[in-house]
Amino acid sequence: MEPDRNVERAGKLDTATLSDALDKLGIAGQCYRIKPRSGSFRMTGRAYTLLYGPASNPPGTVGDYIDDVPPGSVIVLDNGGRDNATVWGDILTEIAQRRGIAGTVIDGVCRDVALCTQIGYPVFSKDHWMRTGKDRVQVEATNVTVNIGDARVQPGDIVRGDADGVIVIPKEHEDKLLDTAEAVEHAENAIREAVRGGMRLDEARKQFRYHQLQTREA
């Protein structure tokens, strides 16, 4: 399989820089309140999405999809922000790690945090709590458009996570957004170098147009 160049580019940028690029382009791709279960977690990959809903009678399954997820993907679980039942735990963590999945993002909670931190499998969620989603929620659809922390995620979108949270890069904007984020990073690095060389911060920011970096394009 050929390398995915844009996934590689996104993986070299932090979420703060990508967030500035999203703001500049007027795209809402920041996943509000979605946090890593460990500050060391990093992930980049294309979204494999699942949508959850309340369990029917008889109830459907919570998580028998894992063997169909392509290696390198980020599993994106829209559990409607529920904090009273989880859709991710240690069995899925172990299998995902073994299959080479890049990480998991949940609009809701996870459990079994000890294992994901122990083996270094990146999980990002609103929180964690131990109660199972079995017989409480079920998978409604796979590889459909979902919402994670007020950000729209479509199958195949690039998902980037680090210590600051999670960013979604829509497929239709990824080239321009990555170009913009790389320009932001270049300018910020130039400011740091100028200040290290003795320039005043306000002068460096003016020279490299710092205050225009996040300003939305007309």
Side-chain angles (χ1 to χ4, degrees):
M1 179 183 291
E2 292 185 5
D4 190 324
R5 181 171 178 269
N6 280 350
V7 169
E8 291 181 347
R9 291 172 69 193
K12 296 175 183 177
L13 297 161
D14 58 41
T15 59
T17 300
L18 290 164
S19 177
D20 289 347
L22 287 166
D23 284 345
K24 190 169 185 66
L25 299 181
I27 300 169
Q30 301 95 340
C31 297
Y32 182 57
R33 292 186 58 207
I34 305 299
K35 303 175 183 178
R37 295 303 98 197
S38 167
S40 65
F41 285 165
R42 305 287 185 274
M43 68 175 185
T44 317
R46 293 195 179 270
Y48 184 98
T49 64
L50 290 98
L51 177 66
Y52 284 84
S56 59
N57 188 10
T61 179
V62 177
D64 289 340
Y65 56 85
I66 190 71
D67 295 301
D68 299 320
V69 181
S73 301
V74 171
I75 298 173
V76 178
L77 308 177
D78 181 352
N79 196 24
R82 293 178 182 86
D83 59 7
N84 62 350
T86 184
V87 290
W88 188 270
D90 59 356
I91 293 175
L92 288 170
T93 291
E94 181 179 338
I95 296 171
Q97 174 84 335
R98 190 171 68 242
R99 285 182 46 76
I101 306 302
T104 297
V105 179
I106 309 165
D107 193 16
V109 297
C110 66
R111 70 178 187 177
D112 299 314
V113 172
L115 180 63
C116 71
T117 55
Q118 176 186 337
I119 68 175
Y121 178 79
V123 177
F124 294 73
S125 62
K126 284 192 170 179
D127 211 329
H128 56 271
W129 196 44
M130 86 301 292
R131 190 162 79 165
T132 180
K134 186 176 183 297
D135 298 339
R136 296 185 171 95
V137 295
Q138 65 185 36
V139 176
E140 298 285 8
T142 301
N143 271 329
V144 296
T145 300
V146 298
N147 292 287
I148 303 292
D150 298 330
R152 178 183 175 92
V153 188
Q154 298 185 80
D157 286 349
I158 296 175
V159 182
R160 171 73 171 132
D162 62 19
D164 284 330
V166 175
I167 288 291
V168 178
I169 304 174
K171 284 184 294 186
E172 62 268 33
H173 301 295
E174 65 184 47
D175 288 318
K176 186 171 184 180
L177 195 141
L178 289 167
D179 288 345
T180 302
E182 287 165 352
V184 169
E185 182 179 58
H186 177 78
E188 291 189 341
N189 287 339
I191 290 168
R192 292 188 187 96
E193 286 301 313
V195 171
R196 290 167 187 155
M199 185 181 291
R200 286 173 52 93
L201 177 58
D202 56 355
E203 288 298 321
R205 283 179 166 174
K206 182 178 179 180
Q207 178 175 328
F208 296 103
R209 298 174 54 82
Y210 175 80
H211 297 294
Q212 284 75 46
L213 294 181
Q214 302 94 349
T215 302
R216 185 169 178 174
E217 293 183 349

